[in-house]
Amino acid sequence: MLTITARRRAQLAILLGPASLFLAVFFLGPLAIMIVTSFLAPGLYGGVEWTWYPHNYGRILGFADPMFEEFDPVYIAIFLRSLKIAALTVVATLLVCYPAAFCISRLSDRWKSFCLFLITLPFFASLIVRLFVWVLLLRQTGLVNNVLLQTGIIDRPVDLIYTEGAIILGMVYVFIPFMFMPVYASVEKLDWTLVRASLDLGAGPIRTFLRIILPLTAPGIAGGAVIVFIPALGNFVVPAILGGAKVMMLGNLIEQQFLAARNWPFGSALAMMVMSVMLVLLFSYVVVSSRRGLDAAPGR
Amino acid sequence: MRESIVRMEKAAKTFATPEGQTITALGGIDLDVRRNEFLTLLGPSGCGKTTLLQAISGFVELDSGRILIDGEDMTDRPPYRRPVNTVFQNYALFPHMSVGENTGYALEVAGIGRQDRARRVAEALRMVGLEGLEGRKPRQLSGGQQQRVALARAIIARPKLLLLDEPLSALDKNLRQAMQIELKTLQHELGISFIFVTHDQQEALTMSDRVAVLSGGRIQQLDTPRAIYDKPRNSFVATFVGASNLFEGEAAAGRLVTTDGIAISHGEQGSTGAATALIRPEQFFLADPGQAGPILDVDLEQIVFVGSTFELFGRTATGRRVIAEIPAMRRGLVGEIEQSRRARLSYDPSAVHLIPAEAA
Ligand SMILES: Nc1ncnc2c1ncn2[C@@H]1O[C@H](COP(=O)(O)OP(=O)(O)O)[C@@H](O)[C@H]1O
Ligand SMILES: [Mg+2]
């Protein structure tokens, strides 16, 4: 006869089995291939040669193979730009979502669900189509430039598209729902009697915000930041459409290495770099939030 | 020094319900709270107790009227600039701060240095019996302990006035009674006024210097607990505080006759006209056979033993309900009336209180 724990284990195995199998075959497998590839030499006409070749990383970090390639700071620059754009996306989506979450959380239930529905609405239309609308709006002959020209604010069309600004705008547009949901969840949970208690004890509105509201909604902000930062860092659709060839991000660089330059080892090395940043981030998030989680767990 | 620490003048507040009606939460309240007084607001749920308290703490803006604290007009001051602190019903402790940080919050906000703060936090926690628990998180404390932290946090900055909104209602009975005594002692030690809200009349009578009985956004009576109990101003107060037997009728010198013909003797010689006579259950005695004097004959419906007393539930010949409370030491007599299901109740006319009709 099975003991209860053994039976529970068996149940868990059955429940988790399909997901684990799927991840093992379609995630860990390719990941292993990519790790191996990133340390192999690129073949002359694509493909790989089975020799130990750490210089893929060298091209990015500064110890390139002196025979064939040289260290090019452009990769670091793209890396840093991607980090910057992802970080700015996080900040901008937060600035939009945080106040909105407070407004929506104070509405009546009916309006609340309507607003939440509105926020998920963009998911119903194709991402590519939505981004091309921004192209129509931002290009030199687009709506924004036309309006500005006609009202006489400018006298020559300005470059709105194919800039970092355009990419950030697109990113914010794409990632707002991702930021909103976790932020809203924590704002909705906020106990307003605590805010009253703070005011009652003599803390003004700003202090109450910094000392009570912000710390109590921080888990949602951190969650939203991670959920937005990670896909934003590796995103390639938005920069491909709104950044063009002028403003490249890591996603585009990797895509280029695999599809155009056919340098799979170098592409893999780039992808591994992105992944390690994400892993460090995720790991610290998990550590911090589980420690907080222990703190916040109901006692007794 | 001013006698009055809080003065409310014609404080009025109405709320609009979603259905479009208006609710009068405060119907023009005049109130003076004395320095160093334990004042209780007593009333049924929804009578405006919380609204009154929040008008003082600044979370409710009055439609009209004024509030002065220690002579200063507070009507337009935000809550964080009023010299008043509150103990909230569900404690409202900050979950992300330790007990020490919670307790010292008002001092931190006021810019008091770390060392001073630590000393005063320790002192406040000692006063509420939580010495040395600074490092705990609120969730690691029992309900009673959390209540004490809330109390320590509210008194640490020495407010001129402490407001307590049903602070004991979440505690179980024993803890509640212990806290009632502690609160009273604490108020004495601190020498500041407490305004205490409760819907529990027993609690109000035990703890207060004065009790304000509220109903429908108005103060029905503001008096000492004894006066509230013995001499209620109207029948609402009489029925809300304690059990009561009310006989409405026409009063003449020494006698009140109800419409169904029951005569009640009373000691208030001067009163005439429509009035209501109040006899508390414990004012009835079981009459000895053949006893003269005022007697009320009742048919008994139920006799309940509650430990120190028997409660008799009966009806007069005309069907009027009567409650009487007989000390349990008179067991022998109770045995007799249990047999006959009838009781002759006597009372002392001088203890009967008359409520004039215009007040009722
Ligand atoms: N913010 C509000 N909006 C609408 N009605 C309210 C509000 N606050 C209180 N009320 C109403 O005012 C009345 C008095 O409320 P309250 O002061 O909380 O009563 P109590 O504390 O005595 O139970 C109640 O009928 C309540 O429904
Ligand atoms: Mg209330």
Side-chain angles (χ1 to χ4, degrees):
Chain A
M1 214 178 81
L2 287 172
T3 62
I4 289 183
T5 43
R7 189 179 298 171
R8 281 200 60 126
R9 286 221 183 100
Q11 275 175 357
L12 273 180
I14 291 169
L15 290 174
L16 290 177
S20 311
L21 193 71
F22 182 87
L23 283 178
V25 173
F26 294 104
F27 177 70
L28 290 181
L31 183 65
I33 295 174
M34 207 169 70
I35 294 174
V36 171
T37 310
S38 74
F39 288 104
L40 298 178
L44 268 183
Y45 308 103
V48 296
E49 283 177 18
W50 283 87
T51 48
W52 171 248
Y53 191 78
H55 304 289
N56 294 318
Y57 292 96
R59 278 179 77 184
I60 310 166
L61 298 172
F63 53 96
D65 181 358
M67 294 271 285
F68 301 106
E69 297 143 344
E70 54 189 52
F71 162 64
D72 190 338
V74 76
Y75 302 122
I76 298 258
I78 292 178
F79 207 100
L80 291 179
R81 174 195 290 148
S82 302
L83 286 173
K84 182 178 88 181
I85 290 178
L88 286 174
T89 304
V90 167
V91 171
T93 48
L94 182 63
L95 287 180
V96 173
C97 293
Y98 199 54
F102 279 92
C103 294
I104 294 176
S105 75
R106 312 217 75 180
L107 295 175
S108 69
D109 282 351
R110 177 183 300 195
W111 280 105
K112 234 182 240 180
S113 30
F114 179 67
C115 288
L116 293 182
F117 165 73
L118 282 186
I119 280 163
T120 51
L121 202 57
F123 287 121
F124 293 98
S126 147
L127 175 64
I128 309 282
V129 172
R130 286 186 287 136
L131 285 174
F132 269 112
V133 173
W134 279 109
V135 175
L136 297 183
L137 289 173
L138 296 179
R139 64 182 176 183
Q140 295 227 328
T141 54
L143 183 71
V144 176
N145 264 316
N146 275 341
V147 170
L148 289 179
L149 280 172
Q150 260 161 30
T151 51
I153 294 172
I154 52 173
D155 44 37
R156 289 192 301 119
V158 286
D159 283 329
L160 294 173
I161 201 168
Y162 310 130
T163 59
E164 269 185 31
I167 295 182
I168 293 171
L169 187 67
M171 291 275 205
V172 170
Y173 173 69
V174 171
F175 286 113
I176 273 181
F178 293 81
M179 177 60 90
F180 185 83
M181 289 306 168
V183 165
Y184 178 75
S186 71
V187 166
E188 167 87 309
K189 272 204 321 234
L190 181 69
D191 180 356
W192 285 91
T193 54
L194 298 179
V195 174
R196 285 198 169 175
S198 171
L199 293 171
D200 186 75
L201 290 164
I206 294 172
R207 198 170 197 122
T208 297
F209 176 76
L210 293 176
R211 213 58 185 89
I212 309 293
I213 298 178
L214 197 58
L216 290 176
T217 53
I221 296 175
V226 168
I227 286 181
V228 170
F229 187 84
I230 288 179
L233 184 64
N235 190 289
F236 90 101
V237 183
V238 177
I241 295 175
L242 295 173
K246 276 203 221 158
V247 192
M248 212 183 240
M249 282 179 68
L250 279 169
N252 316 98
L253 183 62
I254 294 170
E255 182 221 6
Q256 197 190 56
Q257 290 307 317
F258 276 95
L259 299 182
R262 297 185 53 79
N263 188 342
W264 288 19
F266 185 54
S268 300
L270 283 167
M272 291 308 301
M273 300 274 305
V274 177
M275 244 187 84
S276 47
V277 170
M278 292 175 181
L279 278 179
V280 167
L281 236 159
L282 263 182
F283 185 73
S284 33
Y285 172 72
V286 169
V287 168
V288 170
S289 63
S290 66
R291 194 176 297 150
R292 279 190 63 117
L294 282 182
D295 266 0
R300 285 166 280 144
Chain B
M1 212 154 84
R2 248 174 234 93
E3 232 330 80
S4 138
I5 188 79
V6 180
R7 154 165 270 160
M8 282 189 129
E9 293 170 358
K10 300 196 170 40
K13 178 75 189 176
T14 55
F15 290 110
T17 63
E19 296 84 44
Q21 294 161 310
T22 56
I23 296 175
T24 305
L26 300 179
I29 286 193
D30 290 309
L31 174 68
D32 263 305
V33 184
R34 298 179 190 147
R35 201 171 285 278
N36 206 351
E37 174 176 47
F38 198 118
L39 179 90
T40 297
L41 304 179
L42 173 66
S45 177
C47 70
K49 305 182 296 290
T50 298
T51 308
L52 178 52
L53 221 53
Q54 292 188 342
I56 298 173
S57 58
F59 293 107
V60 160
E61 217 177 301
L62 293 180
D63 298 336
S64 62
R66 290 209 305 164
I67 294 172
L68 295 100
I69 298 177
D70 207 7
E72 271 188 274
D73 194 332
M74 294 282 152
T75 317
D76 297 319
R77 273 214 214 170
Y80 51 92
R81 301 216 345 259
R82 297 191 186 198
V84 168
N85 287 139
T86 305
V87 176
F88 291 84
Q89 183 168 3
N90 296 314
Y91 320 138
L93 298 179
F94 307 128
H96 58 299
M97 294 185 199
S98 67
V99 167
E101 288 171 305
N102 264 286
T103 309
Y105 189 75
L107 300 182
E108 177 199 320
V109 165
I112 309 268
R114 196 170 282 275
Q115 282 186 352
D116 252 5
R117 213 156 74 205
R119 186 180 51 73
R120 286 174 68 178
V121 165
E123 188 195 314
L125 287 177
R126 186 187 50 72
M127 286 188 89
V128 299
L130 291 180
E131 261 166 308
L133 294 191
E134 280 93 337
R136 299 263 192 99
K137 281 285 170 80
R139 58 166 184 91
Q140 296 169 315
L141 303 179
S142 69
Q145 287 173 318
Q146 292 184 24
Q147 172 70 76
R148 284 155 201 264
V149 176
L151 200 56
R153 183 177 73 174
I155 60 172
I156 196 164
R158 294 292 160 118
K160 292 186 173 167
L161 180 69
L162 190 69
L163 308 176
L164 305 101
D165 194 352
E166 308 208 17
L168 307 183
S169 62
L171 303 180
D172 62 51
K173 193 165 168 246
N174 287 336
L175 196 52
R176 202 181 157 108
Q177 282 172 348
M179 280 302 285
Q180 287 176 2
I181 297 166
E182 276 184 50
L183 269 180
K184 187 77 191 142
T185 318
L186 187 69
Q187 188 254 339
H188 226 75
E189 263 176 67
L190 290 170
I192 59 178
S193 307
F194 279 28
I195 302 185
F196 182 92
V197 164
T198 184
H199 60 254
D200 179 337
Q201 39 122 348
Q202 200 60 53
E203 199 163 273
L205 295 181
T206 356
M207 300 178 73
S208 327
D209 296 322
R210 286 194 302 163
V211 178
V213 181
L214 263 79
S215 165
R218 284 172 203 283
I219 295 182
Q220 303 296 326
Q221 186 168 2
L222 172 59
D223 238 321
T224 62
R226 292 187 118 179
I228 295 270
Y229 189 79
D230 291 339
K231 306 215 173 307
R233 266 237 315 263
N234 57 37
S235 49
F236 174 82
V237 176
T239 45
F240 191 74
V241 181
S244 55
N245 298 290
L246 293 177
F247 302 89
E248 3 12 272
E250 201 63 33
R255 228 169 114 82
L256 174 142
V257 181
T258 64
T259 43
D260 49 346
I262 295 172
I264 303 288
S265 306
H266 62 84
E268 296 180 23
Q269 296 301 332
S271 319
T272 50
T276 301
L278 164 69
I279 305 180
R280 295 289 185 189
E282 69 276 9
Q283 288 168 355
F284 282 122
F285 309 98
L286 286 180
D288 295 319
Q291 182 180 326
I295 295 285
L296 202 61
D297 282 304
V298 295
D299 295 319
L300 292 176
E301 293 183 330
Q302 236 182 67
I303 302 176
V304 181
F305 176 58
V306 293
S308 57
T309 56
F310 286 97
E311 286 181 359
L312 311 185
F313 295 87
R315 278 180 196 274
T316 61
T318 52
R320 188 184 281 271
R321 286 176 184 282
V322 174
I323 310 175
E325 225 175 78
I326 307 298
M329 47 187 200
R330 309 211 56 185
R331 270 164 213 276
L333 273 175
V334 172
E336 272 173 38
I337 61 169
E338 251 177 336
Q339 299 276 309
S340 64
R341 309 299 288 172
R342 287 184 56 77
R344 281 162 63 74
L345 301 173
S346 74
Y347 55 90
D348 175 3
S350 68
V352 174
H353 172 60
L354 276 196
I355 303 168
E358 56 269 32

